[in-house]
Amino acid sequence: MDWEAAKMMCSLQFWRMAVYWTLALVYSRLYLLLLPYLSNRFPSLFRPPPPPFSRRRFSPGHQCPVRRPICVVTGATSGLGKAAARALAAEGYHVLLASRSPQALNKAVWEIKKHDPNAYVEAFQLDISSMHSIMKFECNLKQWLQDANLHPSVQLLINNAGILAKSSRVTADGFDEMIETNYLGAFFLTNILLPLLKNSPVPSRIVNVTSFTHRCVSHVDQNKGILARENFHVFSSKNLYAFITVCTLLFSYELHRQLYAMDSASVVSVMAADPGFVETNIMRELPPSLRKLAFMVLGFLHLLQSPEIGVGSIIDAALASPEASGKYFYGAKGRTIKSSPVSYDAKLSKELWLCSYELLQECKSRIVNLSKLD
Ligand SMILES: NC(=O)c1ccc[n+]([C@@H]2O[C@H](COP(=O)([O-])OP(=O)(O)OC[C@H]3O[C@@H](n4cnc5c(N)ncnc54)[C@H](OP(=O)(O)O)[C@@H]3O)[C@@H](O)[C@H]2O)c1
């Protein structure tokens, strides 16, 4: 074992995180396994689990201007994003893989095409931790739709890109890198693509990928200013990854409320999906020996899944009927469960929305002003 791994393993913070995350994962699994039994046995104490949602294949009517639905997957060059892109291409989607590295994008497109030569896949460069890149992506996407003579709309957005950063780093927009990659960037991209999603002549969808780790955040103390905008720049929370996954849920439920409050027959639905613990490159910043140890222990506990299995909840959320909007998909087979109580706090999600929206407007106008100067 290397020195870095040994140092990490000696810290209290590491063990606290490892124990909390494992307990959160075990809790979600037990909830899924025991709820049907408990609700049968003690009907007055436990509500029966909701019926699973079945997957629906896209079938356009004769008059529909969309022949093949367009799907954007962020972070599609590795792990869950790549598995989602492959599965959705097999479902008949025209999948736009959006990621940072052109080499990784070309490789991912080649791999999907090798597996299925008839797959419709395109590569788009996008750094979700940069507002400039998000705005450029929007322009490129609109141009591509026009050049390809396709309907100017998007049917599915999967906000999947994410990192597990070992230390705090600041992006060009001035935010903490993990916050902007995992939450703020998804918020910005969603708002920027919302007109294209709303313009869809068939029901469209946003799927936000989150994690069981959100259960480690039992409350968000607004009095201490946790949601204060300064915290998006340099965040000092010891449990930042888990905190960000709560933000993703608050954002998903708030967007669902806003879309459905405006119009109960809203064309855009919003789902959250939790893949469980999956063997991907998410822990790439941790020492390799520690990664191996985590995979070994969770594999031994039967809590580790391959990306092809873990992606099940994301694909369920992407293909469920629009009535599933506002639900939290977990455990595949179309199943949904309740996320933590704090994630349903409507006041908190409103506050987070307002703060994130202010940051979006500021970032956008800064980029527009800069491009005027060029
Ligand atoms: N693995 C798990 O157990 C697990 C559990 C729950 C939730 N999740 C969530 O699932 C999502 C996917 O993670 P994964 O496990 O599949 O990890 P992964 O294998 O590391 O894939 C992450 C993807 O995100 C991309 N990405 C990172 N930063 C980006 C940026 N700034 N702009 C655009 N793309 C960026 C990566 O591309 P590069 O190659 O360019 O870095 C990569 O394609 C994450 O949001 C993660 O938090 C994972």
Side-chain angles (χ1 to χ4, degrees), residues 75-81 98-101 104 126-129 160-163 181-182 209-212 241 274-278 280-282 284:
T77 50
S78 166
L80 290 157
S99 238
R100 295 185 282 198
S101 148
L126 167 70
D127 180 351
I128 200 80
S129 67
N160 162 79
I163 57 170
T181 306
N182 298 21
V209 178
T210 181
S211 162
F212 56 88
Y241 181 84
D274 172 359
F277 194 83
V278 187
T280 64
N281 289 321
I282 193 76
R284 68 182 88 178

PDB file of all heavy atoms in Angstrom, residues 75-81 98-101 104 126-129 160-163 181-182 209-212 241 274-278 280-282 284, ligand 1:
ATOM      1  N   GLY A  75     -21.124  13.236 -19.561  1.00  0.00           N
ATOM      2  CA  GLY A  75     -20.194  12.271 -18.951  1.00  0.00           C
ATOM      3  C   GLY A  75     -20.385  10.887 -19.543  1.00  0.00           C
ATOM      4  O   GLY A  75     -20.452   9.892 -18.817  1.00  0.00           O
ATOM      5  N   ALA A  76     -20.460  10.842 -20.904  1.00  0.00           N
ATOM      6  CA  ALA A  76     -20.812   9.575 -21.563  1.00  0.00           C
ATOM      7  C   ALA A  76     -19.585   8.775 -22.012  1.00  0.00           C
ATOM      8  O   ALA A  76     -19.722   7.810 -22.756  1.00  0.00           O
ATOM      9  CB  ALA A  76     -21.719   9.868 -22.762  1.00  0.00           C
ATOM     10  N   THR A  77     -18.381   9.166 -21.535  1.00  0.00           N
ATOM     11  CA  THR A  77     -17.192   8.458 -22.021  1.00  0.00           C
ATOM     12  C   THR A  77     -16.747   7.345 -21.070  1.00  0.00           C
ATOM     13  O   THR A  77     -15.771   6.663 -21.338  1.00  0.00           O
ATOM     14  CB  THR A  77     -16.030   9.456 -22.203  1.00  0.00           C
ATOM     15  OG1 THR A  77     -15.908  10.234 -21.003  1.00  0.00           O
ATOM     16  CG2 THR A  77     -16.269  10.375 -23.378  1.00  0.00           C
ATOM     17  N   SER A  78     -17.432   7.196 -19.971  1.00  0.00           N
ATOM     18  CA  SER A  78     -16.983   6.199 -18.995  1.00  0.00           C
ATOM     19  C   SER A  78     -18.154   5.713 -18.145  1.00  0.00           C
ATOM     20  O   SER A  78     -19.215   6.341 -18.129  1.00  0.00           O
ATOM     21  CB  SER A  78     -15.905   6.864 -18.117  1.00  0.00           C
ATOM     22  OG  SER A  78     -15.633   6.139 -16.964  1.00  0.00           O
ATOM     23  N   GLY A  79     -17.974   4.615 -17.465  1.00  0.00           N
ATOM     24  CA  GLY A  79     -18.899   4.115 -16.450  1.00  0.00           C
ATOM     25  C   GLY A  79     -20.371   4.139 -16.821  1.00  0.00           C
ATOM     26  O   GLY A  79     -20.799   3.617 -17.866  1.00  0.00           O
ATOM     27  N   LEU A  80     -21.162   4.771 -15.959  1.00  0.00           N
ATOM     28  CA  LEU A  80     -22.624   4.762 -16.110  1.00  0.00           C
ATOM     29  C   LEU A  80     -23.080   5.537 -17.340  1.00  0.00           C
ATOM     30  O   LEU A  80     -24.044   5.137 -18.010  1.00  0.00           O
ATOM     31  CB  LEU A  80     -23.269   5.364 -14.856  1.00  0.00           C
ATOM     32  CG  LEU A  80     -23.147   4.479 -13.616  1.00  0.00           C
ATOM     33  CD1 LEU A  80     -23.277   5.289 -12.338  1.00  0.00           C
ATOM     34  CD2 LEU A  80     -24.206   3.378 -13.669  1.00  0.00           C
ATOM     35  N   GLY A  81     -22.403   6.652 -17.652  1.00  0.00           N
ATOM     36  CA  GLY A  81     -22.785   7.465 -18.816  1.00  0.00           C
ATOM     37  C   GLY A  81     -22.630   6.671 -20.099  1.00  0.00           C
ATOM     38  O   GLY A  81     -23.509   6.689 -20.976  1.00  0.00           O
ATOM     39  N   ALA A  98     -21.880  13.697 -24.575  1.00  0.00           N
ATOM     40  CA  ALA A  98     -21.290  14.996 -24.253  1.00  0.00           C
ATOM     41  C   ALA A  98     -20.269  14.843 -23.137  1.00  0.00           C
ATOM     42  O   ALA A  98     -20.623  14.477 -22.021  1.00  0.00           O
ATOM     43  CB  ALA A  98     -22.391  15.963 -23.833  1.00  0.00           C
ATOM     44  N   SER A  99     -19.000  15.087 -23.481  1.00  0.00           N
ATOM     45  CA  SER A  99     -17.935  14.934 -22.487  1.00  0.00           C
ATOM     46  C   SER A  99     -16.766  15.842 -22.827  1.00  0.00           C
ATOM     47  O   SER A  99     -16.754  16.475 -23.872  1.00  0.00           O
ATOM     48  CB  SER A  99     -17.475  13.481 -22.440  1.00  0.00           C
ATOM     49  OG  SER A  99     -17.640  12.967 -21.150  1.00  0.00           O
ATOM     50  N   ARG A 100     -15.745  15.837 -21.920  1.00  0.00           N
ATOM     51  CA  ARG A 100     -14.636  16.788 -22.078  1.00  0.00           C
ATOM     52  C   ARG A 100     -13.619  16.391 -23.140  1.00  0.00           C
ATOM     53  O   ARG A 100     -13.184  17.217 -23.930  1.00  0.00           O
ATOM     54  CB  ARG A 100     -13.834  16.875 -20.768  1.00  0.00           C
ATOM     55  CG  ARG A 100     -14.580  17.429 -19.632  1.00  0.00           C
ATOM     56  CD  ARG A 100     -13.668  17.578 -18.467  1.00  0.00           C
ATOM     57  NE  ARG A 100     -13.425  16.304 -17.779  1.00  0.00           N
ATOM     58  CZ  ARG A 100     -12.947  16.206 -16.567  1.00  0.00           C
ATOM     59  NH1 ARG A 100     -12.613  17.295 -15.923  1.00  0.00           N
ATOM     60  NH2 ARG A 100     -12.762  15.036 -15.984  1.00  0.00           N
ATOM     61  N   SER A 101     -13.240  15.125 -23.146  1.00  0.00           N
ATOM     62  CA  SER A 101     -12.083  14.746 -23.959  1.00  0.00           C
ATOM     63  C   SER A 101     -12.489  14.224 -25.346  1.00  0.00           C
ATOM     64  O   SER A 101     -13.212  13.226 -25.454  1.00  0.00           O
ATOM     65  CB  SER A 101     -11.299  13.667 -23.196  1.00  0.00           C
ATOM     66  OG  SER A 101     -10.687  12.783 -24.076  1.00  0.00           O
ATOM     67  N   ALA A 104     -11.506  10.535 -25.800  1.00  0.00           N
ATOM     68  CA  ALA A 104     -12.396   9.611 -25.073  1.00  0.00           C
ATOM     69  C   ALA A 104     -13.756   9.536 -25.772  1.00  0.00           C
ATOM     70  O   ALA A 104     -14.373   8.463 -25.828  1.00  0.00           O
ATOM     71  CB  ALA A 104     -12.550  10.067 -23.633  1.00  0.00           C
ATOM     72  N   LEU A 126     -18.074  18.872 -24.312  1.00  0.00           N
ATOM     73  CA  LEU A 126     -18.731  19.661 -23.263  1.00  0.00           C
ATOM     74  C   LEU A 126     -17.975  19.497 -21.954  1.00  0.00           C
ATOM     75  O   LEU A 126     -17.780  18.379 -21.479  1.00  0.00           O
ATOM     76  CB  LEU A 126     -20.188  19.181 -23.069  1.00  0.00           C
ATOM     77  CG  LEU A 126     -20.899  19.692 -21.823  1.00  0.00           C
ATOM     78  CD1 LEU A 126     -21.201  21.186 -21.905  1.00  0.00           C
ATOM     79  CD2 LEU A 126     -22.211  18.933 -21.584  1.00  0.00           C
ATOM     80  N   ASP A 127     -17.557  20.628 -21.411  1.00  0.00           N
ATOM     81  CA  ASP A 127     -17.015  20.612 -20.050  1.00  0.00           C
ATOM     82  C   ASP A 127     -18.093  21.220 -19.164  1.00  0.00           C
ATOM     83  O   ASP A 127     -18.328  22.426 -19.191  1.00  0.00           O
ATOM     84  CB  ASP A 127     -15.715  21.437 -19.982  1.00  0.00           C
ATOM     85  CG  ASP A 127     -15.132  21.452 -18.578  1.00  0.00           C
ATOM     86  OD1 ASP A 127     -15.811  20.970 -17.643  1.00  0.00           O
ATOM     87  OD2 ASP A 127     -14.003  21.942 -18.408  1.00  0.00           O
ATOM     88  N   ILE A 128     -18.740  20.371 -18.397  1.00  0.00           N
ATOM     89  CA  ILE A 128     -19.891  20.806 -17.602  1.00  0.00           C
ATOM     90  C   ILE A 128     -19.464  21.753 -16.471  1.00  0.00           C
ATOM     91  O   ILE A 128     -20.308  22.450 -15.900  1.00  0.00           O
ATOM     92  CB  ILE A 128     -20.654  19.555 -17.064  1.00  0.00           C
ATOM     93  CG1 ILE A 128     -22.088  19.889 -16.658  1.00  0.00           C
ATOM     94  CG2 ILE A 128     -19.948  18.897 -15.914  1.00  0.00           C
ATOM     95  CD1 ILE A 128     -23.059  19.974 -17.743  1.00  0.00           C
ATOM     96  N   SER A 129     -18.170  21.813 -16.191  1.00  0.00           N
ATOM     97  CA  SER A 129     -17.717  22.723 -15.123  1.00  0.00           C
ATOM     98  C   SER A 129     -17.315  24.088 -15.696  1.00  0.00           C
ATOM     99  O   SER A 129     -16.552  24.821 -15.077  1.00  0.00           O
ATOM    100  CB  SER A 129     -16.553  22.105 -14.348  1.00  0.00           C
ATOM    101  OG  SER A 129     -15.428  21.999 -15.189  1.00  0.00           O
ATOM    102  N   ASN A 160     -25.492  13.242 -16.026  1.00  0.00           N
ATOM    103  CA  ASN A 160     -24.778  12.138 -15.390  1.00  0.00           C
ATOM    104  C   ASN A 160     -23.342  12.507 -14.992  1.00  0.00           C
ATOM    105  O   ASN A 160     -22.815  11.941 -14.036  1.00  0.00           O
ATOM    106  CB  ASN A 160     -24.766  10.945 -16.369  1.00  0.00           C
ATOM    107  CG  ASN A 160     -23.722   9.921 -16.025  1.00  0.00           C
ATOM    108  OD1 ASN A 160     -23.906   9.108 -15.132  1.00  0.00           O
ATOM    109  ND2 ASN A 160     -22.570   9.974 -16.712  1.00  0.00           N
ATOM    110  N   ALA A 161     -22.708  13.472 -15.694  1.00  0.00           N
ATOM    111  CA  ALA A 161     -21.279  13.758 -15.445  1.00  0.00           C
ATOM    112  C   ALA A 161     -21.040  14.044 -13.968  1.00  0.00           C
ATOM    113  O   ALA A 161     -21.841  14.714 -13.321  1.00  0.00           O
ATOM    114  CB  ALA A 161     -20.832  14.956 -16.276  1.00  0.00           C
ATOM    115  N   GLY A 162     -19.960  13.501 -13.452  1.00  0.00           N
ATOM    116  CA  GLY A 162     -19.667  13.743 -12.044  1.00  0.00           C
ATOM    117  C   GLY A 162     -18.259  13.308 -11.686  1.00  0.00           C
ATOM    118  O   GLY A 162     -17.634  12.498 -12.386  1.00  0.00           O
ATOM    119  N   ILE A 163     -17.750  13.888 -10.599  1.00  0.00           N
ATOM    120  CA  ILE A 163     -16.422  13.501 -10.090  1.00  0.00           C
ATOM    121  C   ILE A 163     -16.517  13.296  -8.579  1.00  0.00           C
ATOM    122  O   ILE A 163     -17.442  13.796  -7.945  1.00  0.00           O
ATOM    123  CB  ILE A 163     -15.331  14.570 -10.409  1.00  0.00           C
ATOM    124  CG1 ILE A 163     -15.735  15.949  -9.843  1.00  0.00           C
ATOM    125  CG2 ILE A 163     -15.043  14.646 -11.885  1.00  0.00           C
ATOM    126  CD1 ILE A 163     -14.612  16.990  -9.893  1.00  0.00           C
ATOM    127  N   THR A 181     -19.251  20.616 -11.302  1.00  0.00           N
ATOM    128  CA  THR A 181     -19.377  19.436 -12.169  1.00  0.00           C
ATOM    129  C   THR A 181     -20.632  18.632 -11.815  1.00  0.00           C
ATOM    130  O   THR A 181     -21.414  18.259 -12.683  1.00  0.00           O
ATOM    131  CB  THR A 181     -18.134  18.519 -12.019  1.00  0.00           C
ATOM    132  OG1 THR A 181     -16.972  19.297 -12.245  1.00  0.00           O
ATOM    133  CG2 THR A 181     -18.175  17.365 -12.991  1.00  0.00           C
ATOM    134  N   ASN A 182     -20.829  18.378 -10.519  1.00  0.00           N
ATOM    135  CA  ASN A 182     -21.902  17.444 -10.127  1.00  0.00           C
ATOM    136  C   ASN A 182     -23.264  18.095  -9.969  1.00  0.00           C
ATOM    137  O   ASN A 182     -24.272  17.433 -10.127  1.00  0.00           O
ATOM    138  CB  ASN A 182     -21.543  16.756  -8.800  1.00  0.00           C
ATOM    139  CG  ASN A 182     -20.286  15.916  -8.886  1.00  0.00           C
ATOM    140  OD1 ASN A 182     -19.466  16.125  -9.764  1.00  0.00           O
ATOM    141  ND2 ASN A 182     -20.129  14.994  -7.992  1.00  0.00           N
ATOM    142  N   VAL A 209     -28.829  12.151 -12.315  1.00  0.00           N
ATOM    143  CA  VAL A 209     -28.210  11.015 -11.607  1.00  0.00           C
ATOM    144  C   VAL A 209     -27.721  11.494 -10.239  1.00  0.00           C
ATOM    145  O   VAL A 209     -27.004  12.486 -10.129  1.00  0.00           O
ATOM    146  CB  VAL A 209     -27.048  10.419 -12.428  1.00  0.00           C
ATOM    147  CG1 VAL A 209     -26.384   9.268 -11.661  1.00  0.00           C
ATOM    148  CG2 VAL A 209     -27.544   9.939 -13.787  1.00  0.00           C
ATOM    149  N   THR A 210     -28.138  10.798  -9.201  1.00  0.00           N
ATOM    150  CA  THR A 210     -27.737  11.164  -7.846  1.00  0.00           C
ATOM    151  C   THR A 210     -27.247   9.908  -7.125  1.00  0.00           C
ATOM    152  O   THR A 210     -26.908   8.917  -7.790  1.00  0.00           O
ATOM    153  CB  THR A 210     -28.915  11.866  -7.127  1.00  0.00           C
ATOM    154  OG1 THR A 210     -28.492  12.239  -5.815  1.00  0.00           O
ATOM    155  CG2 THR A 210     -30.154  10.985  -7.026  1.00  0.00           C
ATOM    156  N   SER A 211     -27.207   9.932  -5.808  1.00  0.00           N
ATOM    157  CA  SER A 211     -26.617   8.783  -5.119  1.00  0.00           C
ATOM    158  C   SER A 211     -27.251   8.534  -3.751  1.00  0.00           C
ATOM    159  O   SER A 211     -27.760   9.459  -3.106  1.00  0.00           O
ATOM    160  CB  SER A 211     -25.114   9.041  -4.955  1.00  0.00           C
ATOM    161  OG  SER A 211     -24.574   8.214  -3.967  1.00  0.00           O
ATOM    162  N   PHE A 212     -27.158   7.255  -3.329  1.00  0.00           N
ATOM    163  CA  PHE A 212     -27.625   6.843  -1.995  1.00  0.00           C
ATOM    164  C   PHE A 212     -26.906   7.644  -0.892  1.00  0.00           C
ATOM    165  O   PHE A 212     -27.395   7.743   0.225  1.00  0.00           O
ATOM    166  CB  PHE A 212     -27.364   5.348  -1.804  1.00  0.00           C
ATOM    167  CG  PHE A 212     -25.916   4.981  -2.010  1.00  0.00           C
ATOM    168  CD1 PHE A 212     -25.022   5.030  -0.957  1.00  0.00           C
ATOM    169  CD2 PHE A 212     -25.430   4.646  -3.269  1.00  0.00           C
ATOM    170  CE1 PHE A 212     -23.680   4.740  -1.154  1.00  0.00           C
ATOM    171  CE2 PHE A 212     -24.092   4.351  -3.479  1.00  0.00           C
ATOM    172  CZ  PHE A 212     -23.214   4.405  -2.410  1.00  0.00           C
ATOM    173  N   TYR A 241     -19.453  15.513  -1.178  1.00  0.00           N
ATOM    174  CA  TYR A 241     -20.085  14.701  -2.242  1.00  0.00           C
ATOM    175  C   TYR A 241     -21.536  14.384  -1.857  1.00  0.00           C
ATOM    176  O   TYR A 241     -22.454  14.539  -2.663  1.00  0.00           O
ATOM    177  CB  TYR A 241     -19.278  13.410  -2.461  1.00  0.00           C
ATOM    178  CG  TYR A 241     -19.844  12.541  -3.560  1.00  0.00           C
ATOM    179  CD1 TYR A 241     -19.520  12.767  -4.895  1.00  0.00           C
ATOM    180  CD2 TYR A 241     -20.730  11.494  -3.268  1.00  0.00           C
ATOM    181  CE1 TYR A 241     -20.053  11.981  -5.905  1.00  0.00           C
ATOM    182  CE2 TYR A 241     -21.260  10.708  -4.274  1.00  0.00           C
ATOM    183  CZ  TYR A 241     -20.908  10.952  -5.585  1.00  0.00           C
ATOM    184  OH  TYR A 241     -21.452  10.177  -6.586  1.00  0.00           O
ATOM    185  N   ASP A 274     -30.828   6.750  -8.924  1.00  0.00           N
ATOM    186  CA  ASP A 274     -29.702   6.352  -8.069  1.00  0.00           C
ATOM    187  C   ASP A 274     -29.258   4.952  -8.506  1.00  0.00           C
ATOM    188  O   ASP A 274     -30.025   3.991  -8.377  1.00  0.00           O
ATOM    189  CB  ASP A 274     -30.199   6.365  -6.610  1.00  0.00           C
ATOM    190  CG  ASP A 274     -29.177   5.787  -5.640  1.00  0.00           C
ATOM    191  OD1 ASP A 274     -28.095   5.358  -6.077  1.00  0.00           O
ATOM    192  OD2 ASP A 274     -29.470   5.768  -4.434  1.00  0.00           O
ATOM    193  N   PRO A 275     -28.028   4.835  -9.027  1.00  0.00           N
ATOM    194  CA  PRO A 275     -27.599   3.523  -9.546  1.00  0.00           C
ATOM    195  C   PRO A 275     -27.131   2.539  -8.479  1.00  0.00           C
ATOM    196  O   PRO A 275     -26.850   1.384  -8.795  1.00  0.00           O
ATOM    197  CB  PRO A 275     -26.437   3.900 -10.476  1.00  0.00           C
ATOM    198  CG  PRO A 275     -25.913   5.183  -9.918  1.00  0.00           C
ATOM    199  CD  PRO A 275     -27.052   5.892  -9.255  1.00  0.00           C
ATOM    200  N   GLY A 276     -27.004   2.984  -7.214  1.00  0.00           N
ATOM    201  CA  GLY A 276     -26.401   2.121  -6.191  1.00  0.00           C
ATOM    202  C   GLY A 276     -24.893   2.256  -6.268  1.00  0.00           C
ATOM    203  O   GLY A 276     -24.385   3.252  -6.805  1.00  0.00           O
ATOM    204  N   PHE A 277     -24.152   1.268  -5.773  1.00  0.00           N
ATOM    205  CA  PHE A 277     -22.687   1.363  -5.859  1.00  0.00           C
ATOM    206  C   PHE A 277     -22.205   0.589  -7.092  1.00  0.00           C
ATOM    207  O   PHE A 277     -22.499  -0.590  -7.245  1.00  0.00           O
ATOM    208  CB  PHE A 277     -22.019   0.823  -4.590  1.00  0.00           C
ATOM    209  CG  PHE A 277     -20.576   1.213  -4.524  1.00  0.00           C
ATOM    210  CD1 PHE A 277     -20.202   2.457  -4.047  1.00  0.00           C
ATOM    211  CD2 PHE A 277     -19.586   0.367  -4.999  1.00  0.00           C
ATOM    212  CE1 PHE A 277     -18.866   2.848  -4.027  1.00  0.00           C
ATOM    213  CE2 PHE A 277     -18.246   0.747  -4.980  1.00  0.00           C
ATOM    214  CZ  PHE A 277     -17.890   1.987  -4.486  1.00  0.00           C
ATOM    215  N   VAL A 278     -21.470   1.282  -7.968  1.00  0.00           N
ATOM    216  CA  VAL A 278     -21.115   0.701  -9.267  1.00  0.00           C
ATOM    217  C   VAL A 278     -19.599   0.774  -9.502  1.00  0.00           C
ATOM    218  O   VAL A 278     -18.965   1.790  -9.172  1.00  0.00           O
ATOM    219  CB  VAL A 278     -21.856   1.453 -10.405  1.00  0.00           C
ATOM    220  CG1 VAL A 278     -21.627   0.761 -11.735  1.00  0.00           C
ATOM    221  CG2 VAL A 278     -23.347   1.535 -10.110  1.00  0.00           C
ATOM    222  N   THR A 280     -16.958   1.771 -11.358  1.00  0.00           N
ATOM    223  CA  THR A 280     -16.617   2.670 -12.465  1.00  0.00           C
ATOM    224  C   THR A 280     -15.315   3.380 -12.116  1.00  0.00           C
ATOM    225  O   THR A 280     -14.636   3.011 -11.162  1.00  0.00           O
ATOM    226  CB  THR A 280     -17.721   3.735 -12.647  1.00  0.00           C
ATOM    227  OG1 THR A 280     -17.742   4.541 -11.455  1.00  0.00           O
ATOM    228  CG2 THR A 280     -19.095   3.133 -12.868  1.00  0.00           C
ATOM    229  N   ASN A 281     -15.035   4.467 -12.853  1.00  0.00           N
ATOM    230  CA  ASN A 281     -13.806   5.222 -12.572  1.00  0.00           C
ATOM    231  C   ASN A 281     -14.031   6.380 -11.605  1.00  0.00           C
ATOM    232  O   ASN A 281     -13.188   7.256 -11.485  1.00  0.00           O
ATOM    233  CB  ASN A 281     -13.243   5.800 -13.882  1.00  0.00           C
ATOM    234  CG  ASN A 281     -12.686   4.716 -14.756  1.00  0.00           C
ATOM    235  OD1 ASN A 281     -12.066   3.781 -14.252  1.00  0.00           O
ATOM    236  ND2 ASN A 281     -12.916   4.817 -16.050  1.00  0.00           N
ATOM    237  N   ILE A 282     -15.182   6.415 -10.943  1.00  0.00           N
ATOM    238  CA  ILE A 282     -15.532   7.568 -10.096  1.00  0.00           C
ATOM    239  C   ILE A 282     -14.488   7.803  -8.995  1.00  0.00           C
ATOM    240  O   ILE A 282     -14.276   8.937  -8.584  1.00  0.00           O
ATOM    241  CB  ILE A 282     -16.964   7.411  -9.496  1.00  0.00           C
ATOM    242  CG1 ILE A 282     -17.473   8.729  -8.877  1.00  0.00           C
ATOM    243  CG2 ILE A 282     -17.058   6.304  -8.474  1.00  0.00           C
ATOM    244  CD1 ILE A 282     -17.929   9.743  -9.832  1.00  0.00           C
ATOM    245  N   ARG A 284     -11.326   7.602  -9.248  1.00  0.00           N
ATOM    246  CA  ARG A 284     -10.003   7.663  -9.885  1.00  0.00           C
ATOM    247  C   ARG A 284      -9.001   8.528  -9.127  1.00  0.00           C
ATOM    248  O   ARG A 284      -7.800   8.367  -9.265  1.00  0.00           O
ATOM    249  CB  ARG A 284     -10.112   8.126 -11.337  1.00  0.00           C
ATOM    250  CG  ARG A 284     -10.547   9.549 -11.526  1.00  0.00           C
ATOM    251  CD  ARG A 284     -10.678   9.909 -12.981  1.00  0.00           C
ATOM    252  NE  ARG A 284     -12.020   9.593 -13.467  1.00  0.00           N
ATOM    253  CZ  ARG A 284     -12.434   9.827 -14.695  1.00  0.00           C
ATOM    254  NH1 ARG A 284     -11.616  10.316 -15.584  1.00  0.00           N
ATOM    255  NH2 ARG A 284     -13.659   9.562 -15.059  1.00  0.00           N
TER     256      ARG A 284
HETATM  257  N1  LIG B   1     -20.111   4.761  -9.431  1.00  0.00           N
HETATM  258  C1  LIG B   1     -20.979   4.810  -8.439  1.00  0.00           C
HETATM  259  O1  LIG B   1     -21.002   3.967  -7.545  1.00  0.00           O
HETATM  260  C2  LIG B   1     -22.002   5.922  -8.396  1.00  0.00           C
HETATM  261  C3  LIG B   1     -23.017   5.835  -7.427  1.00  0.00           C
HETATM  262  C4  LIG B   1     -23.982   6.823  -7.368  1.00  0.00           C
HETATM  263  C5  LIG B   1     -23.918   7.881  -8.258  1.00  0.00           C
HETATM  264  N2  LIG B   1     -22.896   7.957  -9.178  1.00  0.00           N
HETATM  265  C6  LIG B   1     -22.892   9.107 -10.082  1.00  0.00           C
HETATM  266  O2  LIG B   1     -22.934   8.620 -11.398  1.00  0.00           O
HETATM  267  C7  LIG B   1     -22.374   9.583 -12.293  1.00  0.00           C
HETATM  268  C8  LIG B   1     -21.428   8.884 -13.254  1.00  0.00           C
HETATM  269  O3  LIG B   1     -20.310   8.429 -12.530  1.00  0.00           O
HETATM  270  P1  LIG B   1     -19.518   7.104 -12.867  1.00  0.00           P
HETATM  271  O4  LIG B   1     -19.569   6.264 -11.640  1.00  0.00           O
HETATM  272  O5  LIG B   1     -19.931   6.523 -14.152  1.00  0.00           O
HETATM  273  O6  LIG B   1     -18.029   7.685 -12.934  1.00  0.00           O
HETATM  274  P2  LIG B   1     -16.947   7.736 -14.117  1.00  0.00           P
HETATM  275  O7  LIG B   1     -16.727   6.378 -14.671  1.00  0.00           O
HETATM  276  O8  LIG B   1     -15.771   8.445 -13.529  1.00  0.00           O
HETATM  277  O9  LIG B   1     -17.637   8.646 -15.225  1.00  0.00           O
HETATM  278  C9  LIG B   1     -17.797  10.026 -15.036  1.00  0.00           C
HETATM  279  C10 LIG B   1     -18.008  10.680 -16.377  1.00  0.00           C
HETATM  280  O10 LIG B   1     -18.197  12.083 -16.153  1.00  0.00           O
HETATM  281  C11 LIG B   1     -17.313  12.780 -17.022  1.00  0.00           C
HETATM  282  N3  LIG B   1     -16.922  14.089 -16.501  1.00  0.00           N
HETATM  283  C12 LIG B   1     -16.231  14.378 -15.384  1.00  0.00           C
HETATM  284  N4  LIG B   1     -16.053  15.705 -15.287  1.00  0.00           N
HETATM  285  C13 LIG B   1     -16.650  16.256 -16.381  1.00  0.00           C
HETATM  286  C14 LIG B   1     -16.793  17.568 -16.856  1.00  0.00           C
HETATM  287  N5  LIG B   1     -16.283  18.622 -16.198  1.00  0.00           N
HETATM  288  N6  LIG B   1     -17.464  17.775 -18.020  1.00  0.00           N
HETATM  289  C15 LIG B   1     -17.975  16.741 -18.708  1.00  0.00           C
HETATM  290  N7  LIG B   1     -17.866  15.462 -18.319  1.00  0.00           N
HETATM  291  C16 LIG B   1     -17.205  15.229 -17.158  1.00  0.00           C
HETATM  292  C17 LIG B   1     -16.118  11.874 -17.155  1.00  0.00           C
HETATM  293  O11 LIG B   1     -15.378  12.247 -18.299  1.00  0.00           O
HETATM  294  P3  LIG B   1     -13.759  12.437 -18.237  1.00  0.00           P
HETATM  295  O12 LIG B   1     -13.245  11.111 -18.659  1.00  0.00           O
HETATM  296  O13 LIG B   1     -13.500  13.557 -19.170  1.00  0.00           O
HETATM  297  O14 LIG B   1     -13.382  12.781 -16.826  1.00  0.00           O
HETATM  298  C18 LIG B   1     -16.804  10.526 -17.298  1.00  0.00           C
HETATM  299  O15 LIG B   1     -17.258  10.338 -18.618  1.00  0.00           O
HETATM  300  C19 LIG B   1     -21.687  10.622 -11.392  1.00  0.00           C
HETATM  301  O16 LIG B   1     -22.515  11.775 -11.339  1.00  0.00           O
HETATM  302  C20 LIG B   1     -21.634   9.953 -10.043  1.00  0.00           C
HETATM  303  O17 LIG B   1     -21.657  10.894  -8.995  1.00  0.00           O
HETATM  304  C21 LIG B   1     -21.950   6.990  -9.263  1.00  0.00           C
END
